Amino acid sequence: MTTLVRGRGWARTHPLAVDAVLASAVLVCMVVGSFAEPNGEHGPTWGTRTPDAPSLVLMTLGALALVFRRRAPWAVLAATCGASIVELLTGQPRAPVVMCAVIALFTVAARTDRSTTWRIGLVTMTGLTGVAMLSGGPLPWYAQENLGIFAWTGMAAAAGDAVRSRRAVVDAIRERAERAERTREEEARRRVAEERLRIARDLHDVVAHHIALVNVQAGVAAHVMDKRPDQAKEALSHVRDASRSALNELRATVGLLRQTGDPEAPTEPAPGLHRLDELVETFRNAGLPVEVALGQVGLDLAAAVDLAAFRIIQEALTNVQKHAGPAAKAEVSVVRVGPNVEVTVIDDGPGHDKGDEQRDAEQHTGGGHGLIGMRERVTALGGSCSAGPRYGGGFRVHAILPVTTAKGGTA
């Protein structure tokens, strides 16, 4: 098998040498065949006739033309047909020069389309056969030699067309396989990129929210430690709760990277609007007044939509806590409008014109990723998200999410 593969490889890289070997073999067959007499008294006989010099020259020229059959197939076909016609008209007895034309016609048929193959095949078949029948000689026009020319040229055209069709089918199969492989690789890369973005969004939401709360409560504890130790103790308790929540959510997020079936992987449900009161209470404990208006959203929200709504509120309130200033107040509204759920978070803080959130809203030149993550979540579910300063002061985040998502992805 290895020798066969090497031989095929060598043949593909040395086509001229392969054609030279083929031409030599055809020349030998023509010369040997010219010594045979197919119409003897007792059937075909061997050695009863000898080819003349012009026939040997024509056989040599025809074989020499076959060396270039792949470089110039049409020219080789014309040359071999010309040599065959000369031999049919002048050779007595005839030598099988037409064998060169048969090989040349096969080559042309294997390298062109079907309609051209049959047109040129019909012209070659009828032309050579007609010349053979009309050239005269001792044989009648319906002799086996004349009909044999018609049969061999017809088979050459059919065989060449079959080879071309098979090559086309093999090339199409190979192309489809390569395209499918590229598609699989691109799909795998796309899924990996989407998973990385999703995990990055979750990590950002968890870390930004809880670290902001820890920072605020730690600042409060440090400020009142000496004068009001009870209030400092309460602030430190909130720090402990926030850090514990952060660790739990980080453990749940990182657990998604574990292998399937890992017994240590978390099985807790993802956060959603059912934990909205708990989320709002953490901000109130940190000193941010938050009012909530929760309409009849219903229980038919897809898990991805429920998670996205929760994360949008979490990120928006975190930005209010970080950038709106100490006197800011926030309002959260979640209502169902037709087939959508609208989530709105507004505040009246004056600090946005100098903070990172304002720059984040203006093409995120400040390096933040909060609003980017919001928009990515909403876009992945087929919704829309807008964020920007309010007229008269403050900031507004507004997201429209479909109640059910056909994409079925994780926000």
Side-chain angles (χ1 to χ4, degrees), residues 347-390:
D347 68 81
D348 59 357
H352 295 284
D353 57 341
K354 298 181 181 179
D356 288 339
E357 184 182 351
Q358 173 68 14
R359 295 195 297 272
D360 196 3
E362 298 175 357
Q363 304 302 322
H364 319 293
T365 56
H369 298 281
L371 295 181
I372 296 177
M374 289 184 192
R375 293 190 179 98
E376 288 176 347
R377 287 182 184 277
V378 175
T379 302
L381 298 174
S384 62
C385 179
S386 61
R390 298 172 60 202

Side-chain angles (χ1 to χ4, degrees), residues 182-243:
R182 289 195 300 269
T183 302
R184 284 194 295 269
E185 293 176 357
E186 292 171 359
E187 179 67 15
R189 287 194 294 267
R190 184 186 65 81
R191 289 181 179 274
V192 169
E194 289 180 353
E195 185 67 9
R196 290 176 59 187
L197 286 176
R198 186 189 65 78
I199 294 174
R201 287 196 301 267
D202 286 342
L203 289 176
H204 172 273
D205 292 343
V206 172
V207 172
H209 166 62
H210 291 290
I211 295 303
L213 294 180
V214 167
N215 181 63
V216 171
Q217 296 290 355
V220 171
H223 182 69
V224 300
M225 180 68 71
D226 296 332
K227 298 181 180 180
R228 286 176 287 179
D230 293 339
Q231 187 175 352
K233 184 177 180 180
E234 181 181 358
L236 292 176
S237 175
H238 291 318
V239 169
R240 183 182 65 249
D241 294 339
S243 61

Side-chain angles (χ1 to χ4, degrees), residues 5 143 150 258 308 314:
V5 172
F150 185 85
R258 298 180 186 275
Q314 183 184 57

Side-chain angles (χ1 to χ4, degrees), residues 49 55 126 227 236 255 306 327 338 362 378 391:
R49 66 175 183 174
S55 296
T126 56
K227 298 181 180 180
L236 292 176
D306 197 23
E362 298 175 357
V378 175
Y391 179 77

Side-chain angles (χ1 to χ4, degrees), residues 166-176:
R166 181 182 180 279
R167 287 175 180 170
V169 171
V170 171
D171 291 342
I173 294 174
R174 184 181 296 110
E175 181 182 358
R176 285 197 297 268

Side-chain angles (χ1 to χ4, degrees), residues 84-357:
S84 300
I85 291 174
V86 172
E87 174 62 23
L88 292 173
L89 293 174
T90 62
Q92 291 299 334
R94 294 173 182 172
V97 181
V98 74
M99 187 174 180
C100 296
V102 171
I103 302 298
L105 179 59
F106 168 84
T107 304
V108 170
R111 289 173 170 264
T112 187
D113 58 272
R114 176 162 295 175
S115 60
T116 303
T117 294
W118 289 116
R119 284 198 299 268
I120 193 63
L122 184 61
V123 170
T124 304
M125 291 161 57
T126 56
L128 293 179
T129 305
V131 171
M133 290 180 175
L134 299 175
S135 61
L139 299 177
W141 65 271
Y142 54 83
Q144 265 188 338
E145 290 186 18
N146 298 336
L147 298 179
I149 294 174
F150 185 85
W152 280 106
T153 50
M155 286 189 294
D161 182 69
V163 170
R164 179 199 55 78
S165 299
R166 181 182 180 279
R167 287 175 180 170
V169 171
V170 171
D171 291 342
I173 294 174
R174 184 181 296 110
E175 181 182 358
R176 285 197 297 268
E178 292 175 354
R179 186 166 58 249
E181 184 66 24
R182 289 195 300 269
T183 302
R184 284 194 295 269
E185 293 176 357
E186 292 171 359
E187 179 67 15
R189 287 194 294 267
R190 184 186 65 81
R191 289 181 179 274
V192 169
E194 289 180 353
E195 185 67 9
R196 290 176 59 187
L197 286 176
R198 186 189 65 78
I199 294 174
R201 287 196 301 267
D202 286 342
L203 289 176
H204 172 273
D205 292 343
V206 172
V207 172
H209 166 62
H210 291 290
I211 295 303
L213 294 180
V214 167
N215 181 63
V216 171
Q217 296 290 355
V220 171
H223 182 69
V224 300
M225 180 68 71
D226 296 332
K227 298 181 180 180
R228 286 176 287 179
D230 293 339
Q231 187 175 352
K233 184 177 180 180
E234 181 181 358
L236 292 176
S237 175
H238 291 318
V239 169
R240 183 182 65 249
D241 294 339
S243 61
R244 183 186 298 114
S245 298
L247 289 174
N248 290 336
E249 291 200 38
L250 283 174
R251 187 179 297 111
T253 302
V254 174
L256 296 176
L257 301 177
R258 298 180 186 275
Q259 295 181 356
T260 303
D262 191 331
E264 297 182 3
T267 58
E268 298 180 358
L273 292 178
H274 62 280
R275 293 180 53 186
L276 181 59
D277 292 338
E278 177 185 343
L279 174 67
V280 170
E281 190 63 29
T282 61
F283 285 100
R284 289 171 178 164
N285 292 334
L288 175 65
V290 182
E291 295 183 4
V292 179
L294 184 62
Q296 297 297 323
V297 178
L299 302 177
D300 55 348
L301 292 181
V305 176
D306 197 23
L307 174 61
F310 179 85
R311 292 301 189 194
I312 289 170
I313 297 172
Q314 183 184 57
E315 177 62 26
L317 292 178
T318 301
N319 287 339
V320 174
Q321 180 74 48
K322 291 167 59 178
H323 305 300
K329 298 179 181 179
E331 297 180 8
V332 176
S333 171
V334 182
V335 296
R336 179 166 178 174
V337 180
N340 301 317
V341 171
E342 295 191 9
V343 178
T344 306
V345 180
I346 60 176
D347 68 81
D348 59 357
H352 295 284
D353 57 341
K354 298 181 181 179
D356 288 339
E357 184 182 351

